[in-house]
Amino acid sequence: MKTAAVHSWLLPCLLGGIALATPAFAQDDDAPYAYPDEEEKSEETESPRRRRAEPEDRAEEFRQAAEEGDEEKDFERLANLDDPNTGVAFEVLGGAMLLSSPRGQFADLLPAVGGRFTWEIGRLFNNETLREALWFDVRYTYAGMREGTQLIIGDTRLHYATIAPAYELTVGESKNYGFYAQVGGGIAYEHTALEIGGKATQVDGIKSLIQYGVGFRGRTPLSTESNLRLAWRIELMRFRRGYMDDTFVGASMGTAF
């Protein structure tokens, strides 16, 4: 009697447990588990693809570098247009003229004065070096002497008019100072008057000349709000007229824009 009662109670419990248990599903075959050996094999198969992709990446870098280079070239052109400097200067000059002596002496020392107009013609070019280095002067220089006795007096006056290009090697980051060399040409007008006993005899003449020399030039800024600058130079210049060489040693000062 008791054994039959236990079996009758156990059977419904087992059936209920089976009904309430969660069903177990098989693993999805679409996403299998990756074992370490299989991961190494997949990396080995992908590495040739990466190697093939590297040249394409480098080619893209080269293209970007070329585009950046084109942008820099365009920037230089725009910098030429946006440059606040007009490259024009006016200066007054003075110094000593060592006039070649026709008497065979070393030289006749004379005071000399004049003026010049400077234009930095290199600013017409897109080349950065030429913009700062190339310029030319239109120059006028005067020197004269008067000597003799109470009976005979000689009066000589020399006028030099030249146009001379120059090439400058700038120093410093501001490029406002530099050493330059200059070669050009022009004419020399000479007026000579010889007075004997109060009577004057005048002789005029024009000769072509060659101007050449070296110097140091500065363009010191005067204001941060404008482009006004103090233009100045120290120079050693020679004027060859015919067989005579006249040497000018002096300085100049003026304004640049």
Side-chain angles (χ1 to χ4, degrees), residues 8-107:
S8 61
W9 173 79
L10 183 59
L11 182 59
C13 290
L14 292 174
L15 294 175
I18 293 171
L20 295 175
T22 57
F25 298 96
Q27 187 178 4
D28 190 2
D29 294 335
D30 295 336
Y33 179 78
Y35 292 95
D37 296 339
E38 295 178 355
E39 291 180 356
E40 294 177 358
K41 292 180 180 179
S42 63
E43 291 178 356
E44 293 177 358
T45 55
E46 290 178 358
S47 59
R49 297 179 182 177
R50 294 179 181 176
R51 293 173 184 173
R52 288 193 298 269
E54 287 180 357
E56 297 178 359
D57 296 339
R58 292 178 180 175
E60 182 65 25
E61 293 178 359
F62 291 147
R63 284 194 294 270
Q64 292 178 358
E67 292 176 356
E68 291 177 357
D70 293 338
E71 290 178 358
E72 291 179 358
K73 292 179 182 178
D74 295 338
F75 175 76
E76 290 179 0
R77 298 189 187 99
L78 292 176
N80 187 22
L81 296 175
D82 296 338
D83 191 354
N85 295 313
T86 57
V88 176
F90 300 91
E91 299 176 45
V92 176
L93 59 90
M97 182 71 76
L98 301 175
L99 195 66
S100 181
S101 176
R103 299 189 297 269
Q105 299 178 358
F106 170 71

Side-chain angles (χ1 to χ4, degrees), residues 45-170:
T45 55
E46 290 178 358
S47 59
R49 297 179 182 177
R50 294 179 181 176
R51 293 173 184 173
R52 288 193 298 269
E54 287 180 357
E56 297 178 359
D57 296 339
R58 292 178 180 175
E60 182 65 25
E61 293 178 359
F62 291 147
R63 284 194 294 270
Q64 292 178 358
E67 292 176 356
E68 291 177 357
D70 293 338
E71 290 178 358
E72 291 179 358
K73 292 179 182 178
D74 295 338
F75 175 76
E76 290 179 0
R77 298 189 187 99
L78 292 176
N80 187 22
L81 296 175
D82 296 338
D83 191 354
N85 295 313
T86 57
V88 176
F90 300 91
E91 299 176 45
V92 176
L93 59 90
M97 182 71 76
L98 301 175
L99 195 66
S100 181
S101 176
R103 299 189 297 269
Q105 299 178 358
F106 170 71
D108 294 326
L109 182 60
L110 309 174
V113 294
R116 64 171 147 231
F117 164 77
T118 303
W119 181 34
E120 298 177 5
I121 193 173
R123 298 186 180 277
L124 297 178
F125 303 97
N126 288 331
N127 186 285
E128 187 70 18
T129 302
L130 292 179
R131 289 178 61 248
E132 298 294 339
L134 188 60
W135 44 270
F136 75 90
D137 289 332
V138 179
R139 172 179 180 146
Y140 168 76
T141 309
Y142 167 79
M145 66 177 178
R146 182 180 177 88
E147 61 181 1
T149 63
Q150 295 182 352
L151 181 62
I152 301 174
I153 299 175
D155 187 5
T156 302
R157 301 177 184 179
L158 288 166
H159 305 267
Y160 306 86
T162 59
I163 299 176
Y167 190 86
E168 180 179 356
L169 297 177
T170 58

